[in-house]
Amino acid sequence: MKRIFLGWQKPALLAAADFLFEQYALPNDACLSGVAIALPSARATRRMLEVLVEQAEVRRLPLVPPQLVTIGHLPELLYDGPTHVAGRLARQLAWAAALDDIDSGMLRHLTGDAEAAERKAMLSSQRLALAEVMEKLHEDLAGHGLRFAEAVAGVERFDASEAARWRALAAVQSAYEARLAKLGLSDVQLTRLEAIRAATCRAEREIVLVGVADLPVAVARLLSHEQVAERVTSLIYAPTDLAERFDRFGSLLSDAWCHAELPLRDDQLVVVDRPGDQATAVVQAIADLAGEYAADQITVGVPDADVVPYLERRFEQFDLPSRYGEAVRLSETGPYRLLVAVAAYLDGQRFADLAALARHPDAQLALSAAVGAEPSHGPGESQQSGELNGGARVQSAADGSASPGHRLAKNLRSEEPSQTRPGSASATGSNADIDLLTSLDTYYSEHLQARLAGRPLGRSPAAQAVAAIQKQLDRWLENFSGQRALSDWAQPMVDLLLAVYERQNLDRGHAHGRLIVEACDKIHEILVEASQLDAHWAGRLTAADAIRLLLRQIESEPIPPVPDQAAIEILGWLELPLDDAPALVVTGFNDGFVPSFINADPFLPNALRRQLGLLDNDRRYARDAYGLAVLLGSRQRLTLIAGRRSAQGDPLTPSRLAFACPREDIARRVLRYFGREVTPDRPTAVPHGLPAGARKSGFAPPKPKPPEKPIREMRVTQFRDYLACPYRFYLRHVLMLHSLDDLAEELEPSAFGSLAHDVLREFGADPDTSLLTDVEAICQRLDADLQRLVRERFGRHRLPAVDLQVEHLRLRLGAFARWQADWAARGWRIVKTEIEVQGEQASLLVDGKPMFLKARLDRIDRNDFDGRHVIFDYKTSDSGEPPEKTHRVNGEWVDLQLPLYRHLASALGIGDSPALGYIVLPKDLKKITGHLAEWGQDELDSADAIAKEVVRDIWSQKFLPMKQPPPKFTEEFAAICLDEQFGASTEDDEEI
């Protein structure tokens, strides 16, 4: 085995390319087909190929590329592997099934639950979670050349009490291997161990390791075989004078690197506070480059992924193009989230889950199209269909092909990005989308159903829309009922994805379409694997459990963004040594990220890892120390940024690598990190072509515009809103904005009050009830009306909290009955309820012009003894305050509702000066009573004067200022008004 030190004068991959051309290329032909090149990561292999192509062009040589593999896939080139290798789904199911093959005594050592182990009654989710743990342990140990059984002796020396648990793991591993063997499948890790044991390795090509500083033990053993070693060359990215720090494979010697000093200069280390400050410091470091490097010559390293969102926002603010290879995980894509939402809905058909599914952006488009016009074919059916790898149907591509390599994603493509197929919804949504979602929120806020059973309640437009949504979802999911083998659920899932996405235009060149297509491709792969499994694997599952099981296998897979040479690359720490950008900025230079460490592993704590020869914290330190040494030695410009606090505000410690320096420098760096020094809160300059953005958000609340029609009528309650805040009055009553959501878990105060009003309206509408003085009779009537309205409005499957609130209302109505009986005994009877006054029935004359008044009066009572009238308003708020407290604050009018009722009296035929008051039903039952206002004529005249001033301001279109702090009953406009939000722009903001 040969070791070649490349030095740090050139980027690693460029230096490796020089070696390959010099060593293996012929004078007129760069034929590298006889070479296999192994690199640490998939990104490095892609970049290596790009470098070889570029260098072949420079050298004017025709290139026959070598075989490029990651170090993890190199072993399969060294022996004759099995034909049928178990995929990730098969492996996890085999591990889960193996738990059933060991006796309960051993199982108890793994679960810690003696009773469950005795019955072997672990839930499938628990069993799968344990299977994942064992799969990870299996890969970890096998990578270091160990089976579980071979680790038992080392575990026993470390902690004898743990030996029984590891013997149980060994038994499960044997059962796992037997399960796979029954199906003619093999595990790639165990196959490698068998190749090492049998010494059947050979190399058909020259093998070149490039920058592989952390070679797995199992791979090292395969490369050590006498028929392989002589054909292996390790290209070590380091100068020759560091040769004593590497073993014969080019791997790191931990002790040598753990005690090595690193030539980090103080000016290369920047200390800031939070992640946002780190992002600012990155932009400042780029500004300091003064335009010397193009975007594709700058890389940003992110050991701490939590910094990435802050970084991307800051880059966007400064118009810095960037590309983060780990930006999107499959679990964040539309198709994945769609299946998650479907699984949640299938679990219990809860209304919240139905609404979440209908709100899924892609489901919205499909629902809008389907609800607006009946589809010409059933769910998942199409005029063209193919086969899903030998039996399961799947829509085929336009040419009708159905090859084994066919992918679902291939069906989801469009001819032109700008075209829309007939009958499809546009990608930006439509009025139908808005109407459907509004209907869902409206229906829920009115009925508060926990789940839908049968038809939605009522016949309102909202109920009809919900019924249409429910009907379409039932069509999509008609094949998702019951329990089946996992393999039988693959096709219904394919049909569902096609039903949702077949009408959409999806173009790989556009970000949205590309994400959907890539996600569907990955989901299709796991569905194909599931469809090929033996029908008895994993038992019989519900559709929801099957969906979750399948998605669990692929949730963390990344979907890399489109390559962009004009973008600054954002990479993880381990990718940086082989990156070839000359300028590098690294964030998150803190302990726990650089170097990383593991201490609290339930099976493999750090001390046991060291005992077994596995990757331990010393090895991690050595790996990261080497990585930093590479960056210090090979980069023209390097900045390391350390934070003092995490995004959650937790304190961080600096990287230990910052203190791998002479002792006299350590104290200075400690003081610098924990001292008061901070970097500027904003970059002072950016290079040409990278302009600075705004200091603050440019968003400001929209300025009021004149109403399209003059306001000639107002509800008496609207005067309160204007007095509270003219701007919010404009939003609510001129623009007619209001909030609507389905977040309620109980009756909102307004809904609780509405229910109480409806019960009391029913009571007062019957002339006989207003004469009742028998408390029990009044209670019976109120109770009957309450039960009927609750049943009609909320159905049988209402939220549990609603029943509790109904009982609270029942108690309040009982206390009201006592007051009502006493009130009737004094000669008062209800003459009208829920009286609507509108149009030109009543007005307030202002400067010779009328402002027509609208109102709905809850109740008018007349005294049979003296003919007096009183206008009552029901109030169900918990406070139960009298009119004086709600209408005036410190002697100033804040609400004009009751005083303005006087102007409605003549239209109602009850005289010019009826009494005004509240009937309050607060939480305190002792305070339920009637309150009559005691304002004198002067006070009422002052109220009229305020009302006229409000009218004048409205006619003058005076809808400013916006009052701060916001009135307590205007929370729905907080987002528009930027209530208590940082960054709202003002006219005097300094622009940069």
Side-chain angles (χ1 to χ4, degrees):
M1 186 176 296
K2 296 179 287 293
R3 295 194 313 172
I4 305 294
F5 288 86
L6 300 177
W8 286 334
Q9 290 76 30
K10 284 186 176 182
L13 300 186
L14 189 58
D18 289 344
F19 171 83
L20 291 169
F21 282 114
E22 292 168 6
Q23 186 72 21
Y24 300 108
L26 300 175
N28 298 310
D29 184 8
C31 181
L32 305 180
S33 60
V35 180
I37 302 175
L39 297 108
S41 68
R43 180 184 183 275
T45 62
R46 292 191 297 271
R47 180 60 185 146
M48 184 77 251
L49 181 58
E50 292 173 0
V51 169
L52 289 173
V53 172
E54 292 167 0
Q55 289 300 305
E57 290 179 356
V58 170
R59 298 165 189 263
R60 300 181 180 276
L61 294 175
L63 175 66
V64 180
Q67 184 170 5
L68 292 161
V69 295
T70 62
I71 195 65
H73 290 91
L74 176 63
E76 280 59 60
L77 302 182
L78 306 178
Y79 60 85
D80 293 325
T83 306
H84 302 292
V85 176
R88 56 191 156 190
L89 177 61
R91 292 197 306 272
Q92 185 170 122
L93 291 177
W95 281 110
L99 292 170
D100 289 334
D101 295 340
I102 64 173
D103 63 61
S104 57
M106 285 198 167
L107 187 60
R108 185 169 60 249
H109 290 299
L110 298 177
T111 65
D113 186 342
E115 186 177 346
E118 194 66 35
R119 299 193 313 269
K120 293 193 176 181
M122 282 192 299
L123 298 174
S124 60
S125 59
Q126 294 174 320
R127 194 164 60 213
L128 288 171
L130 184 55
E132 285 183 358
V133 171
M134 290 187 293
E135 169 79 356
K136 185 176 181 304
L137 278 174
H138 167 70
E139 290 181 355
D140 206 348
L141 266 73
H144 287 75
L146 293 173
R147 290 174 174 266
F148 290 163
E150 295 167 337
V152 171
V155 171
E156 217 161 13
R157 287 192 298 272
F158 173 75
D159 184 352
S161 64
E162 285 289 294
R165 190 156 65 136
W166 279 83
R167 290 190 187 95
L169 285 172
V172 176
Q173 190 177 49
S174 295
Y176 160 78
E177 191 173 5
R179 281 269 180 172
L180 291 179
K182 265 187 192 178
L183 297 169
L185 298 175
S186 62
D187 176 271
V188 66
Q189 302 289 349
L190 295 176
T191 302
R192 292 175 184 177
L193 296 183
E194 180 59 26
I196 294 172
R197 186 193 66 79
T200 57
C201 306
R202 79 283 179 272
E204 296 179 351
R205 306 173 186 229
E206 295 296 314
I207 298 171
V208 179
L209 310 180
V210 178
V212 182
D214 197 16
L215 191 66
V217 173
V219 180
R221 290 183 182 176
L222 289 169
L223 294 177
S224 298
H225 194 276
E226 60 182 0
Q227 296 184 28
V228 176
E230 61 184 11
R231 305 197 69 176
V232 177
T233 301
S234 179
L235 302 184
I236 303 169
Y237 193 41
T240 307
D241 57 8
L242 298 181
E244 73 280 0
R245 298 184 187 179
F246 297 88
D247 66 14
R248 66 192 184 97
F249 299 100
S251 276
L252 306 172
L253 293 173
S254 294
D255 287 345
W257 284 101
C258 284
H259 297 92
E261 288 186 358
L262 301 173
L264 173 64
R265 303 191 310 270
D266 286 351
D267 65 314
Q268 292 176 305
L269 182 61
V270 176
V271 179
V272 295
D273 192 19
R274 292 180 177 270
D277 303 316
Q278 292 192 47
T280 298
V282 170
V283 178
Q284 180 64 64
I286 294 173
D288 292 342
L289 298 176
E292 184 179 346
Y293 300 94
D296 63 344
Q297 295 178 301
I298 304 170
T299 293
V300 175
V302 284
D304 178 7
D306 286 347
V307 179
V308 173
Y310 299 90
L311 195 59
E312 290 178 326
R313 282 197 294 271
R314 187 61 95 187
F315 276 11
E316 184 178 356
Q317 184 180 6
F318 282 86
D319 295 329
L320 292 170
S322 64
R323 179 183 182 274
Y324 180 42
E326 302 288 321
V328 179
R329 296 283 176 179
L330 187 64
S331 58
E332 300 169 3
T333 63
Y336 183 100
R337 289 177 180 266
L338 175 72
L339 291 175
V340 169
V342 166
Y345 176 63
L346 291 171
D347 270 341
Q349 295 193 325
R350 292 177 292 270
F351 188 91
D353 295 326
L354 177 142
L357 178 54
R359 278 195 184 84
H360 186 287
D362 302 326
Q364 278 183 46
L365 295 176
L367 281 171
S368 298
V371 170
E374 290 292 330
S376 59
H377 51 267
E381 295 178 359
S382 176
Q383 295 176 352
Q384 296 177 341
S385 64
E387 296 295 316
L388 178 70
N389 285 15
R393 177 176 47 78
V394 61
Q395 183 183 3
S396 69
D399 60 2
S401 63
S403 67
H406 176 69
R407 293 289 183 266
L408 169 67
K410 245 181 156 179
N411 303 306
L412 308 177
R413 61 183 182 183
S414 65
E415 295 76 19
E416 296 292 337
S418 59
Q419 294 179 350
T420 303
R421 300 178 188 177
S424 67
S426 70
T428 57
S430 65
N431 288 335
D433 299 335
I434 299 172
D435 291 341
L436 287 178
L437 299 186
T438 302
S439 297
L440 282 167
D441 289 341
T442 301
Y443 179 84
Y444 180 79
S445 63
E446 290 175 352
H447 301 289
L448 290 180
Q449 288 193 283
R451 67 185 183 89
L452 289 175
R455 288 186 55 81
L457 299 173
R459 297 183 179 277
S460 66
Q464 294 175 19
V466 171
I469 293 171
Q470 185 182 21
K471 181 179 179 181
Q472 184 57 39
L473 291 179
D474 289 344
R475 283 181 177 173
W476 286 349
L477 304 177
E478 63 183 353
N479 294 323
F480 281 76
S481 60
Q483 293 187 339
R484 306 182 192 176
L486 180 63
S487 56
D488 292 336
W489 285 119
Q491 188 60 50
M493 292 183 206
V494 170
D495 291 341
L496 171 65
L497 291 172
L498 288 174
V500 171
Y501 289 106
E502 65 184 346
R503 290 176 179 265
Q504 290 195 35
N505 288 330
L506 300 173
D507 176 37
R508 284 185 181 270
H510 289 193
H512 175 71
R514 181 174 176 274
L515 281 178
I516 291 178
V517 172
E518 293 282 348
C520 285
D521 192 30
K522 291 180 181 294
I523 291 171
H524 186 256
E525 288 178 8
I526 198 68
L527 291 179
V528 169
E529 184 179 348
S531 70
Q532 296 171 338
L533 289 176
D534 185 277
H536 300 291
W537 276 52
R540 297 178 66 81
L541 303 172
T542 64
D545 286 340
I547 289 172
R548 294 190 181 100
L549 170 60
L550 293 171
L551 293 183
R552 196 168 185 166
Q553 313 306 311
I554 53 178
E555 61 186 355
S556 61
E557 288 201 9
I559 298 182
V562 177
D564 184 358
Q565 290 188 348
I568 296 172
E569 197 84 17
I570 302 176
L571 300 176
W573 171 255
L574 296 180
E575 297 282 2
L576 298 179
L578 296 189
D579 181 61
D580 47 21
L584 174 63
V585 184
V586 179
T587 67
F589 191 63
N590 292 91
D591 229 37
F593 304 109
V594 183
S596 61
F597 54 80
I598 294 179
N599 287 326
D601 189 297
F603 283 92
L604 288 172
N606 187 63
L608 179 56
R609 285 180 167 275
R610 186 178 297 114
Q611 174 73 34
L612 297 176
L614 307 182
L615 175 65
D616 62 358
N617 289 339
D618 285 349
R619 184 73 176 179
R620 289 186 177 87
Y621 180 94
R623 179 193 62 194
D624 291 343
Y626 164 73
L628 180 57
V630 168
L631 303 184
L632 292 168
S634 63
R635 296 301 186 269
Q636 297 173 17
R637 300 289 292 271
L638 175 65
T639 301
L640 304 172
I641 300 169
R644 288 173 175 158
R645 285 187 286 176
S646 69
Q648 295 74 34
D650 299 324
L652 298 173
T653 55
S655 171
R656 284 171 287 161
L657 297 178
F659 306 107
C661 58
R663 294 176 64 85
E664 57 270 20
D665 296 336
I666 293 177
R668 184 178 65 254
R669 289 186 181 173
V670 169
L671 289 173
R672 183 181 182 192
Y673 184 87
F674 293 103
R676 296 181 178 275
E677 180 184 348
V678 294
T679 58
D681 64 354
R682 185 171 181 78
T684 56
V686 290
H688 179 69
L690 301 175
R695 180 185 296 274
K696 293 184 179 180
S697 168
F699 179 78
K703 294 182 179 180
K705 296 180 180 179
E708 293 183 2
K709 295 180 180 180
I711 298 175
R712 295 300 181 192
E713 62 179 16
M714 290 178 64
R715 301 197 73 86
V716 295
T717 53
Q718 292 177 3
F719 287 80
R720 178 197 66 168
D721 292 349
Y722 188 89
L723 290 172
C725 177
Y727 184 77
R728 292 174 175 85
F729 170 90
Y730 168 79
L731 296 178
R732 177 177 288 170
H733 301 297
V734 178
L735 296 185
M736 307 300 289
L737 301 181
H738 67 281
S739 64
L740 191 63
D741 59 44
D742 65 350
L743 301 178
E745 297 180 352
E746 60 182 11
L747 287 171
E748 299 286 352
S750 59
F752 184 86
S754 177
L755 179 61
H757 276 68
D758 290 345
V759 174
L760 295 168
R761 182 194 67 229
E762 296 284 335
F763 171 79
D766 185 345
D768 294 335
T769 60
S770 66
L771 300 175
L772 290 174
T773 57
D774 183 344
V775 175
E776 188 62 33
I778 297 174
C779 282
Q780 289 178 359
R781 174 58 192 271
L782 292 170
D783 212 38
D785 289 338
L786 177 62
Q787 289 184 9
R788 177 176 55 81
L789 288 171
V790 169
R791 185 170 57 253
E792 291 175 356
R793 188 166 300 177
F794 305 111
R796 293 185 298 110
H797 300 288
R798 52 188 175 264
L799 295 174
V802 172
D803 287 331
L804 184 61
Q805 290 177 291
V806 167
E807 292 308 311
H808 281 297
L809 179 55
R810 199 186 310 277
L811 293 174
R812 297 192 194 191
L813 293 174
F816 163 81
R818 291 189 288 274
W819 176 86
Q820 174 64 34
D822 179 67
W823 181 253
R826 287 187 274 162
W828 292 95
R829 63 184 176 86
I830 305 170
V831 294
K832 294 181 180 180
T833 60
E834 293 290 324
I835 311 102
E836 186 75 31
V837 178
Q838 55 186 352
E840 300 182 4
Q841 290 179 274
S843 65
L844 179 69
L845 201 62
V846 181
D847 302 333
K849 296 185 294 184
M851 171 63 83
F852 297 109
L853 300 176
K854 298 165 57 180
R856 177 180 288 125
L857 285 72
D858 290 340
R859 159 175 172 171
I860 299 176
D861 286 14
R862 182 182 183 277
N863 191 285
D864 288 338
F865 300 140
D866 56 21
R868 287 179 298 147
H869 288 85
V870 59
I871 300 176
F872 274 125
D873 208 52
Y874 290 120
K875 296 295 181 184
T876 56
S877 64
D878 288 346
S879 62
E881 293 178 340
E884 172 64 19
K885 285 193 174 182
T886 62
H887 281 67
R888 300 208 297 176
V889 175
N890 297 326
E892 298 291 332
W893 289 99
V894 295
D895 191 349
L896 303 174
Q897 180 184 13
L898 289 184
L900 289 175
Y901 277 171
R902 296 160 34 250
H903 298 279
L904 312 178
S906 59
L908 300 171
I910 59 174
D912 295 332
S913 56
L916 308 168
Y918 286 162
I919 299 174
V920 295
L921 289 83
K923 182 167 57 175
D924 187 345
L925 303 183
K926 296 178 181 179
K927 294 183 179 180
I928 292 179
T929 186
H931 289 297
L932 295 180
E934 298 177 354
W935 298 309
Q937 190 60 44
D938 290 344
E939 292 169 309
L940 293 172
D941 288 345
S942 70
D944 286 349
I946 296 294
K948 291 178 181 180
E949 194 61 36
V950 168
V951 171
R952 292 188 186 99
D953 287 344
I954 290 174
W955 282 346
S956 300
Q957 300 170 6
K958 185 180 178 181
F959 299 120
L960 291 172
M962 179 200 303
K963 291 192 177 179
Q964 295 291 355
K968 63 181 180 179
F969 51 84
T970 59
E971 294 88 351
E972 62 183 331
F973 301 124
I976 296 175
C977 298
L978 299 179
D979 294 342
E980 300 179 1
Q981 299 295 311
F982 174 78
S985 65
T986 59
E987 292 183 0
D988 60 349
D989 274 349
E990 178 185 354
E991 292 297 327
I992 294 181

